[in-house]
Amino acid sequence: MQEHEMREHDSTPTSDSLPQPKWQILSAIDRRVVGVLAEKAKTTPDNYPMSLNAVCTGCNQKSNRAPLMQLEADDVEQSLDRLREMGAVAMVEGYGRVTKYRHYLYDWLGVDKVELAVMTELLLRGAQAQGELRGRAARMEPIADLAALRPVIASLKNKGLVVSLTPEGRGQVVSHALYTERELEKLRAQFATDDASTGGQHRAGPPATVAAAAPVAVTAAVSPPPAAPPTASATVDLTVVETMQRSLDELKSQIAELRSEVETLATAYQHTQNELRDLRDALGG
């Protein structure tokens, strides 16, 4: 297969031409392997398709991965064989003695370009808050802000590929739906427990809002009503809290974007090393 043909396959399908999905539940190793192929196709296209060694290195890298893994080449090769049987991955010939692999996730998942970027990050890192997810997926495809991400998430939910783990609102956590049933039940239980322990306050509004309201109620119970309406100071306090919260959200977003840039540079460096290694292998060095 010629290189330009493979690049065309990784271009954006139109909504009318999206194929019927063929996806199925994947093991943790298979999710990592196919996620690496999808990620590198977007972030380092000059080093794609990928050799077995390059895929193994991508699976074990320490940036943008959760959980961290230490897979052997045999583990990755067996995973690639399973994914080939499912139709999610193909072996590509024509690269000398080095066998290369590529993904078929556009067809296999039935997604477009931006949806694949989001799914790739979920496959590589698992459950994430939407703000974190946007910053990470945006290194592969442009996603301007959370308003741009929400319809993508909604589309993936409609396709059964994404699930919500916490209620809608600020900091909502989502993940992919390719877990085994046991894994997904454990994940839902974990976030249900976390939500119960916080009372949902971290999504309904800053905890300081609740704390600020308590002294007002106590004062009203033990002293005459003040001349000025008590709601005025409370409104000021809430405005300050909301402003601080917005500033904090912006700082978190900027940090996430900087982290993504660092991870991209680290990935590019690693793939340069992989390319040199593959070249030495091809030359018999």
Side-chain angles (χ1 to χ4, degrees):
M1 182 181 295
Q2 297 298 317
E3 183 176 358
H4 73 274
E5 291 176 335
M6 288 180 292
R7 289 179 183 273
E8 285 177 2
H9 189 86
D10 284 333
S11 61
T12 310
T14 64
S15 58
D16 294 334
S17 66
L18 288 178
Q20 287 296 109
K22 308 168 187 176
W23 64 272
Q24 54 188 282
I25 303 305
L26 297 178
S27 69
I29 293 178
D30 292 350
R31 295 194 299 264
R32 176 61 54 85
V33 168
V34 78
V36 166
L37 285 168
E39 177 194 45
K40 304 310 182 185
K42 288 180 177 290
T43 59
T44 55
D46 290 341
N47 297 319
Y48 178 82
M50 303 175 67
S51 67
L52 173 61
N53 286 340
V55 176
C56 190
T57 299
C59 288
N60 294 334
Q61 74 180 54
K62 292 180 173 56
S63 60
N64 203 43
R65 303 288 185 267
L68 296 181
M69 292 184 175
Q70 193 58 47
L71 302 178
E72 300 294 334
D74 287 345
D75 301 322
V76 175
E77 188 170 24
Q78 291 171 14
S79 174
L80 287 166
D81 288 342
R82 289 192 297 270
L83 291 165
R84 288 173 59 205
E85 291 178 1
M86 298 178 197
V89 166
M91 183 185 294
V92 183
E93 299 180 352
Y95 289 86
R97 293 182 298 171
V98 179
T99 300
K100 303 255 182 167
Y101 298 88
R102 55 156 303 149
H103 72 81
Y104 280 126
L105 289 187
Y106 286 116
D107 292 344
W108 199 70
L109 294 174
V111 294
D112 64 23
K113 201 171 183 180
V114 179
E115 289 172 341
L116 182 57
V118 171
M119 284 298 297
T120 297
E121 285 301 328
L122 292 174
L123 288 168
L124 292 175
R125 294 189 68 99
Q128 300 170 60
Q130 290 193 35
E132 298 171 329
L133 178 59
R134 187 213 65 83
R136 290 165 180 151
R139 69 194 177 97
M140 292 186 285
E141 298 294 341
I143 305 176
D145 49 30
L146 281 175
L149 176 67
R150 289 188 184 106
V152 179
I153 295 294
S155 176
L156 290 170
K157 286 181 179 178
N158 289 336
K159 295 174 182 179
L161 290 168
V162 163
V163 294
S164 296
L165 297 175
T166 61
E168 291 186 4
R170 179 182 296 164
Q172 183 185 30
V173 177
V174 298
S175 192
H176 63 80
L178 275 63
Y179 295 104
T180 63
E181 184 176 350
R182 184 174 181 179
E183 285 177 311
L184 189 55
E185 287 179 359
K186 183 177 180 180
L187 199 60
R188 289 186 187 278
Q190 173 190 331
F191 280 92
T193 301
D194 291 345
D195 189 49
S197 66
T198 60
Q201 292 177 6
H202 60 291
R203 278 177 294 280
T209 302
V210 178
V216 175
V218 173
T219 302
V222 299
S223 61
T231 55
S233 60
T235 302
V236 173
D237 290 343
L238 290 175
T239 301
V240 172
V241 170
E242 290 170 356
T243 301
M244 293 176 64
Q245 184 65 46
R246 282 195 297 270
S247 298
L248 181 59
D249 290 342
E250 291 175 1
L251 286 173
K252 287 182 178 179
S253 178
Q254 292 172 8
I255 290 171
E257 291 175 2
L258 288 172
R259 184 181 295 114
S260 294
E261 292 177 4
V262 172
E263 290 174 351
T264 300
L265 290 172
T267 299
Y269 172 79
Q270 184 62 59
H271 271 277
T272 300
Q273 298 296 102
N274 293 338
E275 187 178 28
L276 291 173
R277 185 188 304 114
D278 292 342
L279 183 59
R280 285 197 297 270
D281 291 345
L283 295 174

